[in-house]
């Protein structure tokens, strides 16, 4: 086996990493820095779109965007390239099922995308919209944009947005951009201009007009403005705007109901209206990041320009039975609208139901359930656990307007599904010949009968595939709601994995192995019939007993998958085995599996981690070193890491934790998600309200279930990594824990990142520093 890569010396005490800190570097001597460049800097496929056939007759073209972390420049660079292959006449027609698995794909050289904020191609593929920042150094208004629309001949038009709105939001729950079907308009989401605020002694600026002076109210310069929490401090109450390509101007859409923030616009088939999601702002804005259960509704709004705020009232088209409807998508024939929603639950992540609505609607259409929630997976449908996802791809419909294709978590695997919206029948879209049985597959785009996806395993970087589905063959199959089979399709590998450049790292991954393991749950949770959970075990090749890292995920309602995780790959390259635990409470296993954890955090999830460790050590025999077991987790994974070294002080050699929850009793009044504390604490408050005052009983319960209650038993050396701009788990959680352990004589080191938020992924330099320090801590 290759020897571990050479570590750097440790830094001691509290270390602050400023934006001017040197970029990690290393030569060809096999340093950790070089290993990070090799694993974290691999070319990850982030987007792939199918060029519509009318714009490329006789060809199919796939436009692919990849991103790479450039640690030396402290940037994430994006590149775009196109892959093309000829189609037979039969392949391009809707009547053929054999749309040839093109044996040869030609590609253009990769082109750097530069500093564009976003790009989007029109439905026909003939127009491209690119959004650039137009703000100059020294401008007070940092949110100025140029919208550049270009065609295939190279001609373009530029439309500016200065003075029209603030920040443009393209991703996340509150993001969105949509072309009208006639390609005359583009709807998108942006933050409206804030009213001018002044204090009592502000002098009038020569730049201010008379209207600005009238709108300004002295004394409101420091009025508190509520935002949407972690990473969204500049998002207050976004609304829709429209770029009119004919008049080459931008206007605000009027008539939005008060008390909602708008996202996820989708033009309706009539090109005059659009559907969007409205998130409730009252009684307060709770953190939206990593949540799919925040209360929302779907609205139908006019896309026409109006000067009167009340002239074009919006229509709410979902009822109270839909707690959090999102992801609206219209069928190609314009007769069906689908969307996803959760039950009225307060967990941060939940299984979803797929719903449909006949279109057009007058506001009185009744939605129907296509795929319901699943409590506990049974033998029917192959143990289907229900749908688990945040976002649907922008395009999901096949050309028959009956089938949709998207990816959902199915236990440890990301699984592409084909759903018949008429019958509710579910099929798997998978190619057993070229895709690993345990790979995770993500659907990226759907056009006509073509589906482009990427697949990865824990040891291989992404491969890009094109599936051409056989709709005629599907009609002959016996499909019903009680069965799940493989949807017929022809497959073509567009591009295989680009090998890791570093030869030592590449060799380590080639020789490593991974296994999905089922572990029996030891304690008796009588409220839920959950007997087992799953573990992903990754092991480097070695003739000696291997040190192992126990890695619980955050959330707690999240889950590891069998895709490529460059952090795991980095640890493998350093000779560390990794145990990724999907403890009870994880997503992708049915609602009862998730619901078994709230109220038992710090007990059930901790027990599952220890059971996983015991099972793997026993199964591996002499291949795993039981005296060199590390624990490493962030957020709720950090909560579990600090619990583990407190409840089992003699079990762990070393531990590291990112922004851990250590004392829920203190966190409840500081976090952007105070409802999380009550939900995971097992309190049945219903919908959270700021009117609830934390009681002595709450504090006692929260303290008892927190790691701080076991701090006096900790002996394991601990590395803590904290983002000082974290609103989700405030840095005081980690700093107070660090000070407590240090005062008790425990070997402890704390790294703080002044400009970083909860994930510590705000910059490539920060990610590099985090991972290099963690592995140094483990192998030093």
């Amino acid at each position: 086996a290759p020897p571990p890569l050479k570590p750097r010396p440790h830094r001691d005490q509290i270390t602050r990493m400023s934006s001017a800190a040197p970029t990690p570097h290393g030569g060809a001597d096999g340093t950790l820095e070089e290993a990070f460049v090799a694993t974290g800097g691999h070319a990850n496929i982030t987007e792939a779109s199918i060029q519509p056939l009318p714009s490329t007759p006789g060809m199919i073209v796939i436009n692919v965007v990849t991103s790479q972390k450039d640690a030396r420049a402290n940037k994430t660079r994006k590149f775009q390239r196109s892959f093309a292959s000829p189609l037979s006449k039969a392949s391009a027609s809707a009547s053929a099922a054999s749309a040839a698995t093109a044996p040869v794909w030609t590609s253009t050289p990769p082109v750097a995308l530069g500093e564009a904020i976003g790009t989007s191609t029109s439905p026909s593929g003939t127009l491209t919209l690119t959004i650039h920042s137009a703000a100059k150094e020294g401008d007070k208004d940092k949110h100025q944009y140029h919208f550049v629309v270009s065609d295939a001949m190279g001609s373009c038009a530029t439309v500016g947005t200065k003075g029209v709105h603030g920040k443009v939001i393209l991703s996340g729950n509150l993001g969105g951009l949509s072309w009208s079907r006639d390609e005359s308009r583009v709807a998108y989401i942006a933050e409206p201009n804030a009213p001018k605020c002044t204090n009592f002694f502000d002098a009038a600026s020569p730049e201010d007009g008379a209207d600005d002076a009238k709108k300004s109210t002295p004394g409101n310069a420091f009025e508190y403005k509520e935002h949407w929490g972690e990473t969204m401090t500049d998002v207050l109450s976004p609304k829709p705007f429209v770029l009119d390509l004919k008049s080459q101007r931008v206007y605000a859409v009027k008539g939005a109901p008060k008390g909602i923030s708008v996202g996820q616009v989708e033009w309706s088939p009539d090109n005059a209206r659009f559907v969007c999601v409205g998130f409730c702002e009252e009684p307060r804005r709770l953190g939206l990041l990593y949540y799919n259960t925040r209360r929302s509704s779907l609205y139908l709004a006019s896309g026409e320009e109006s000067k009167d705020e009340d002239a074009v009232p919006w229509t709410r088209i979902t009822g109270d039975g839909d707690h959090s409807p999102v992801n609206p998508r219209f069928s190609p024939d314009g007769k069906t609208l689908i969307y996803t929603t959760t039950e009225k639950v307060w967990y941060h992540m939940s299984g979803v139901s797929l719903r449909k609505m006949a279109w057009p609607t007058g506001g009185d259409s009744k939605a129907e359930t296509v795929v319901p929630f699943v409590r506990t997976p049974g033998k029917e449908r192959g143990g289907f656990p229900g749908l688990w996802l945040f976002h649907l791809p922008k395009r999901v419909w096949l050309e028959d307007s009956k089938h949709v294709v998207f990816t959902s978590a199915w236990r440890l695997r990301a699984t592409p599904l084909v759903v018949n919206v008429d019958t509710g029948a579910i099929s798997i879209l998978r190619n057993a010949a070229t895709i690993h049985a345990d790979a995770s597959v993500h659907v990226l785009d759907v056009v006509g009968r073509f589906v482009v996806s990427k697949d990865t395993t824990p040891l291989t970087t992404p491969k890009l595939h094109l599936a051409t589905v056989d709709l005629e063959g599907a009609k002959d199959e016996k499909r019903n709601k009680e069965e799940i089979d493989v949807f017929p399709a022809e497959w073509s590998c567009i591009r295989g994995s680009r090998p890791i450049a570093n030869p030592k790292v590449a060799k380590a991954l080639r020789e490593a192995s991974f296994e999905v393991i089922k572990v029996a749950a030891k304690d008796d949770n009588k409220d839920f019939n959950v007997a087992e959970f799953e573990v992903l075990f990754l092991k480097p090749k070695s003739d000696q007993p291997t040190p192992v890292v126990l890695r619980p995920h955050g959330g707690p309602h999240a889950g590891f998958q069998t895709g490529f995780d460059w952090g795991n790959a980095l640890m493998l390259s350093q000779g560390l085995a990794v145990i990724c635990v999907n403890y009870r409470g994880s997503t992708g296993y049915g609602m009862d599996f998730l619901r078994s954890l709230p109220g038992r955090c710090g007990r059930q999830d901790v027990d599952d981690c220890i059971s996983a460790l015991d099972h793997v050590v026993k199964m591996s025999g002499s291949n795993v070193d039981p005296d060199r077991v590390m624990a490493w987790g962030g957020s709720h994974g950090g909560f579990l890491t600090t619990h583990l070294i407190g409840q089992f002080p003699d079990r762990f050699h070393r531990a590291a934790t990112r922004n851990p929850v250590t004392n829920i009793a203190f966190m409840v009044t500081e976090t952007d998600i105070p409802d999380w504390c009550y939900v995971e604490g097992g309190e049945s408050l219903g919908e959270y309200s700021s009117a609830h005052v934390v009681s002595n009983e709450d504090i006692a319960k929260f303290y008892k279930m927190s790691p701080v209650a076991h701090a006096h038993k900790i002996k394991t050396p601990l590395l803590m990594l904290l983002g000082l701009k974290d609103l989700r788990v405030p840095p005081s959680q980690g700093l107070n824990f660090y000070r407590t352990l240090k005062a008790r004589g425990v070997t402890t080191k704390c790294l703080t990142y002044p400009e970083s938020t909860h994930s510590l992924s705000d910059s490539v330099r920060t990610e590099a520093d985090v991972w290099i320090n963690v592995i140094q801590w483990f192998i030093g």
Side-chain angles (χ1 to χ4, degrees):
L5 301 187
K6 181 182 177 182
R8 298 271 182 181
H10 284 176
R11 294 192 297 247
D12 295 318
Q13 359 179 7
I14 291 189
T15 303
R16 290 185 178 272
M17 180 188 171
S18 71
S19 57
T23 304
H25 64 279
D29 59 346
T31 61
L32 264 171
E33 291 89 334
E34 285 299 312
F36 173 86
V37 170
T39 54
H42 77 282
N44 183 35
I45 299 171
T46 56
E47 300 175 39
S49 59
I50 304 167
Q51 194 84 354
L53 293 178
S55 65
T56 54
M59 300 286 291
I60 182 166
V61 177
I62 312 292
N63 298 319
V64 180
V65 176
T66 59
S67 66
Q68 290 181 261
K69 301 177 191 295
D70 185 342
R72 294 184 178 88
N74 194 28
K75 290 183 178 180
T76 297
R77 302 190 185 278
K78 289 188 175 183
F79 301 87
Q80 180 171 306
R81 65 190 307 182
S82 297
F83 295 85
S85 183
L87 289 172
S88 66
K89 292 182 179 180
S91 302
S93 70
S95 60
S98 63
T101 55
V104 177
W105 288 88
T106 59
S107 65
T108 61
V111 177
L113 290 180
E115 302 301 322
I117 294 171
T119 61
S120 178
T121 302
S122 67
S124 69
T126 58
L127 298 175
T128 299
L129 170 65
T130 307
I131 305 174
H132 299 273
S133 173
K136 299 177 181 178
E137 187 174 352
D139 284 348
K140 290 183 179 180
D141 181 5
K142 301 299 182 183
H143 298 301
Q144 303 176 41
Y145 303 92
H146 282 155
F147 287 68
V148 181
V149 181
S150 57
D151 61 21
M153 301 303 294
S155 62
C156 66
T158 300
V159 180
T161 66
K162 184 176 181 180
V164 180
H165 57 64
K167 179 180 179 178
V168 169
I169 307 168
L170 298 177
S171 61
N173 284 333
L174 288 174
L177 183 149
S178 176
W179 289 79
S180 61
R181 294 194 178 194
D182 63 4
E183 302 186 356
S184 65
R185 290 182 288 188
V186 177
Y188 62 96
I189 301 297
E191 190 71 26
N193 287 329
K196 184 174 177 60
C197 299
T198 61
N199 65 43
F200 292 107
F201 299 97
D202 275 340
S205 170
E207 300 175 358
D208 296 339
D211 291 340
D212 289 328
K214 291 178 182 179
K215 294 178 183 178
S216 176
T217 303
N220 61 3
F222 304 103
E223 183 179 354
Y224 174 70
K225 296 176 179 62
E226 197 165 61
H227 53 70
W228 281 101
E230 173 70 11
T231 74
M232 301 175 73
T233 55
D234 54 354
V235 179
L236 309 181
S237 186
K239 298 294 186 287
F241 291 79
V242 171
L243 168 64
D244 189 317
L245 301 184
K246 293 180 180 178
S247 64
Q248 294 189 14
R249 55 188 300 273
V250 170
Y251 58 85
V253 175
K254 305 291 186 177
K258 296 185 183 301
I260 67 169
S261 288
V262 180
Q264 304 183 37
V265 285
E266 185 81 4
W267 280 100
S268 67
D270 63 9
N271 297 308
R273 301 174 296 172
F274 58 78
V275 171
C276 57
V277 180
F279 288 92
C280 297
E281 298 173 346
E282 300 299 335
R284 65 164 282 188
R285 296 167 180 81
L286 294 166
L288 196 55
L289 186 68
Y290 308 133
Y291 270 75
N292 75 344
T293 56
R294 290 298 185 216
R295 203 155 47 91
S296 64
S297 297
L298 293 186
Y299 291 89
L300 178 63
S302 170
E304 305 299 331
E305 185 174 12
S306 172
K307 302 295 183 182
D308 187 351
E309 186 70 37
D310 300 319
V312 281
W314 294 16
T315 303
R316 183 186 177 201
I317 60 173
T318 51
D320 294 336
D322 289 315
H323 176 66
S324 52
V326 292
N327 296 313
R329 302 290 186 270
F330 282 104
S331 61
D333 64 8
K335 296 180 179 179
T336 307
L337 173 71
I338 62 164
Y339 59 93
T340 62
T341 187
T342 69
E343 296 177 292
K344 193 175 183 179
V345 295
W346 315 114
Y347 321 118
H348 65 91
M349 174 66 177
S350 173
V352 302
S353 169
L354 182 67
R355 305 263 282 167
K356 70 174 181 179
M357 182 184 299
W359 202 264
T361 177
D364 55 356
S365 293
K366 292 184 178 180
E368 302 175 40
T369 297
V370 178
V371 181
F373 305 103
V374 173
R375 304 296 176 203
T376 299
K379 294 181 180 180
E380 67 278 0
R381 289 190 172 193
F384 175 62
L387 299 178
W388 297 85
L389 54 89
F390 275 105
H391 303 291
L392 290 174
K394 189 63 178 175
R395 298 187 288 199
V396 296
W397 286 91
L398 293 174
E399 64 184 9
D400 63 353
S401 292
K402 291 183 179 180
H403 293 89
V404 291
V405 186
F406 54 86
T407 293
S408 176
W410 188 324
R411 301 177 74 88
L412 261 164
R413 299 162 189 84
T415 304
L417 303 177
V418 182
V419 178
N420 186 317
V421 297
D422 290 342
T423 67
I426 301 172
S427 303
I428 296 174
L429 187 66
R430 197 175 192 92
N431 181 14
T434 61
I435 298 177
H436 193 287
D438 282 323
S440 280
V441 182
H442 292 271
V443 173
L444 301 175
D445 194 23
V446 181
V447 171
R449 57 180 58 214
F450 299 110
V451 179
V452 63
S453 64
K454 70 173 181 179
D455 63 275
T456 67
T457 74
L459 305 177
T460 56
T461 51
K463 291 185 296 183
L464 199 64
H465 280 86
L466 179 72
T468 309
V469 300
D470 182 358
L471 292 172
E472 284 69 30
K475 292 176 183 177
D476 297 332
E477 298 282 334
K478 291 185 178 180
R479 282 187 166 77
N480 58 61
K481 290 189 176 184
E482 305 306 318
E483 299 177 0
I484 285 188
D485 54 13
V486 177
F487 202 88
E490 295 289 339
W491 289 80
S492 172
C493 182
I494 301 171
R495 178 185 174 186
S497 301
R498 175 179 292 178
I500 296 289
N502 185 300
K504 290 186 178 181
V505 175
K507 185 174 186 291
L509 294 181
R510 283 196 309 270
E511 295 178 341
S513 60
F514 74 93
E515 185 178 358
V516 175
I517 303 168
K518 293 181 180 180
V519 180
K522 291 185 177 179
D523 69 325
D524 182 21
N525 187 338
K526 296 180 180 179
D527 295 330
F528 301 94
N529 184 26
V530 180
E532 64 182 20
F533 59 95
E534 283 187 319
V535 164
L536 175 63
F537 179 45
L538 303 95
K539 187 179 183 303
K541 181 181 178 181
S542 176
D543 297 328
Q544 303 295 325
T546 305
V548 62
V549 178
L550 182 67
R551 191 181 181 192
H553 60 71
H557 308 305
F560 287 109
Q561 293 182 345
T562 55
F564 186 77
D565 181 314
W566 62 263
N568 284 340
L570 183 59
M571 289 190 284
L572 282 172
S573 75
Q574 306 307 299
L576 296 169
V578 186
I579 303 171
C580 298
V581 187
N582 275 2
Y583 46 82
R584 287 169 293 167
S586 302
T587 54
Y589 295 84
M591 285 299 296
D592 282 350
F593 191 94
L594 181 146
R595 293 170 59 224
S596 70
L597 182 58
R600 298 170 64 87
C601 290
R603 291 178 294 153
Q604 177 175 292
D605 42 7
V606 171
D607 290 341
D608 285 355
C609 288
I610 291 297
S611 295
L613 177 61
D614 290 340
H615 185 95
V616 171
V617 169
K618 182 178 179 180
M619 176 192 75
S620 302
S622 61
N623 292 324
V624 169
D625 188 346
D627 295 324
R628 287 191 296 166
V629 176
M630 271 67 73
W632 161 228
S635 193
H636 189 84
F639 170 87
L640 291 176
T641 296
T642 47
H643 256 302
L644 287 163
I645 62 175
Q647 295 188 42
F648 300 89
D650 298 317
R651 194 68 192 271
F652 295 90
H653 177 64
R654 290 205 166 199
T657 181
R658 168 188 58 81
N659 290 320
V661 176
T662 61
N663 190 340
I664 301 176
F666 285 177
M667 175 178 158
V668 67
T669 59
E670 297 181 314
T671 177
D672 68 328
I673 51 167
D675 55 330
W676 181 93
C677 301
Y678 289 97
V679 170
E680 303 308 331
E683 298 282 355
S684 299
L685 295 179
E687 184 171 11
Y688 173 81
S689 170
S690 296
H692 178 78
V693 178
V694 183
S695 66
N696 289 335
E697 291 75 17
D698 293 336
I699 293 173
K701 184 174 184 178
F702 292 157
Y703 176 85
K704 187 177 180 180
M705 65 186 297
S706 297
V708 71
H710 304 278
H712 62 285
K713 297 179 286 184
I714 292 177
K715 298 184 290 185
T716 304
L718 177 64
L719 170 66
M720 307 192 78
L721 307 112
L722 310 176
L724 297 187
K725 289 191 175 180
D726 186 356
L727 301 182
R728 184 59 43 97
V729 181
S732 58
Q733 289 280 299
L735 288 171
N736 287 331
F737 203 73
Y738 163 76
R739 291 168 181 142
T740 298
L741 296 186
K742 185 179 178 182
R744 291 179 175 274
V746 179
T747 301
T748 311
K749 175 181 174 182
C750 182
L751 304 183
T752 61
Y753 301 87
E755 300 302 316
S756 292
T757 54
H758 188 58
S759 67
L760 295 188
S761 60
D762 307 79
S763 73
V764 178
R765 182 174 292 165
T766 297
E767 285 187 291
D769 195 84
V770 166
W771 276 96
I772 292 171
N773 271 290
V774 167
I775 294 178
Q776 284 180 350
W777 187 256
F778 289 161
I779 67 178

